[in-house]
């Protein structure tokens, strides 16, 4: 858990977005990226005869892929990490700077990082998650990717950790169910254009194995 004795000032950032085409993901994820066929709908639905499928939601940009796990060398207890990293490696720098963030029950989570802090967003934005079960793989991410930073002098002041925890208690949050507290950059829509995203420093709290902005968790009082 991050422990800050005093307030901290962190810069906000804005980035130009670059939506990736479905071919970026078929080339990176599919074992057989050729001979694909698609179904006509508002969303992108691509599949092949080997049982692999890719869907991109038109409303949110969320990408989901299902197929047979690509196997690397046998790495013993670390095989899951190496096998899932193949999907990150195949994307190259398409999704920006991705780093390992967390793992749970066969799922490995990677996130974009800005100035050493992870990015959190809705609909898998700034995130790539690879789940493995019974030699099958399920990958989720978003086609919107941060590419070019826009200079900004705006800053956000974050309160000290002790004050944050006191605020959580005052809001009715059970601290015994808090697993972690971390500073992160929250992915927020830009008020002027859809081609730009604002990344705002925010306290995030891991409560009952799920991450929430501290303000949202306090509004809910720890109730889901």
């Amino acid at each position: 858990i991050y422990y800050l004795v005093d307030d901290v000032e962190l810069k906000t950032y804005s980035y130009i977005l670059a939506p990736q085409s479905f071919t970026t993901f078929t080339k990176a994820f599919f074992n057989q990226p050729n001979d694909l066929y698609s179904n006509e709908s508002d969303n992108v639905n691509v599949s092949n005869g080997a049982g692999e499928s890719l869907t991109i939601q038109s409303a949110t940009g969320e990408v989901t892929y299902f197929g047979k796990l690509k196997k690397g060398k046998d790495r013993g207890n670390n095989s899951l990490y190496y096998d899932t990293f193949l999907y990150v490696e195949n994307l190259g720098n398409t999704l920006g700077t991705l780093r390992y963030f967390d793992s749970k029950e066969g799922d490995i989570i990677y996130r974009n990082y800005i100035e050493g802090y992870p990015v959190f967003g809705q609909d898998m934005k700034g995130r790539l998650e690879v789940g493995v079960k019974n030699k099958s793989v399920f990958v989720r991410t978003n086609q919107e990717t941060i590419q070019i930073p826009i200079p900004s002098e705006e800053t956000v002041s974050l309160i000290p950790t002790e004050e944050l925890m006191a605020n959580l208690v005052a809001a009715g949050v059970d601290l015994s169910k808090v697993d972690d507290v971390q500073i992160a950059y929250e992915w927020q829509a830009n008020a002027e254009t859809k081609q730009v995203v604002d990344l705002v420093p925010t306290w995030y709290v891991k409560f009952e194995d799920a991450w929430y902005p501290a303000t949202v968790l306090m509004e809910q009082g720890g109730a889901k």
Side-chain angles (χ1 to χ4, degrees):
I1 292 179
Y2 280 79
Y3 193 85
L4 303 179
V5 177
D6 301 311
D7 290 0
V8 62
E9 294 279 340
L10 292 174
K11 278 189 175 184
T12 62
Y13 289 90
S14 294
Y15 275 76
I16 296 175
L17 291 174
Q20 303 298 320
S21 69
F22 76 91
T23 56
T24 298
F25 303 104
T26 56
K27 290 178 181 178
F29 299 159
F30 276 64
N31 291 292
Q32 298 180 24
N34 301 319
D35 299 323
L36 304 178
Y37 57 88
S38 60
N39 299 325
E40 292 186 8
S41 70
D42 292 337
N43 303 321
V44 174
N45 293 287
V46 182
S47 56
N48 61 18
E52 298 180 274
S53 64
L54 179 88
T55 301
I56 301 179
Q57 300 294 328
S58 61
T60 63
E62 186 171 340
V63 178
T64 57
Y65 162 80
F66 176 80
K68 187 176 180 180
L69 178 67
K70 299 177 189 286
K71 292 294 289 184
K73 295 180 180 179
D74 186 3
R75 305 282 185 167
N77 293 335
N78 291 321
S79 288
L80 177 64
Y81 295 92
Y82 280 94
D83 291 343
T84 56
F85 184 72
L86 287 174
Y87 296 87
V88 180
E89 188 176 37
N90 289 345
L91 284 168
N93 61 358
T94 303
L95 298 187
T97 303
L98 284 175
R99 296 184 188 175
Y100 168 81
F101 177 76
D102 199 4
S103 63
K104 58 179 181 179
E105 300 176 359
D107 286 359
I108 308 297
I109 300 168
Y110 302 87
R111 289 188 183 275
N112 285 135
Y113 271 72
I114 302 297
E115 297 298 319
Y117 298 105
V119 173
F120 282 78
Q122 295 182 337
D123 305 314
M124 302 300 294
K125 292 175 181 176
R127 170 178 176 178
L128 185 142
E129 183 171 343
V130 187
V132 177
K133 187 175 183 180
N134 298 330
K135 298 183 180 180
S136 294
V137 63
F138 185 69
V139 184
R140 299 174 64 200
T141 186
N142 196 289
Q143 71 176 146
E144 288 193 350
T145 60
I146 54 176
Q147 295 292 322
I148 304 172
I150 301 173
S152 172
E153 296 303 319
E154 294 184 10
T155 61
V156 169
S157 179
L158 297 182
I159 60 177
T161 308
E162 188 173 353
E163 186 177 342
L164 171 68
M165 303 304 270
N167 290 347
L168 290 171
V169 172
V173 177
D174 183 353
L175 292 189
S176 69
K177 297 179 180 180
V178 172
D179 304 309
D180 199 356
V181 174
Q182 190 159 151
I183 295 172
Y185 274 88
E186 185 175 31
W187 185 300
Q188 297 182 3
N190 184 275
E192 298 178 0
T193 174
K194 292 182 178 180
Q195 280 70 50
V196 173
V197 61
D198 296 327
L199 300 176
V200 181
T202 307
W203 273 115
Y204 266 76
V205 180
K206 189 177 184 181
F207 180 81
E208 293 189 323
D209 211 31
W211 286 94
Y212 302 89
T215 52
V216 171
L217 189 59
M218 284 186 280
E219 288 172 2
Q220 297 175 350
K224 294 184 180 180

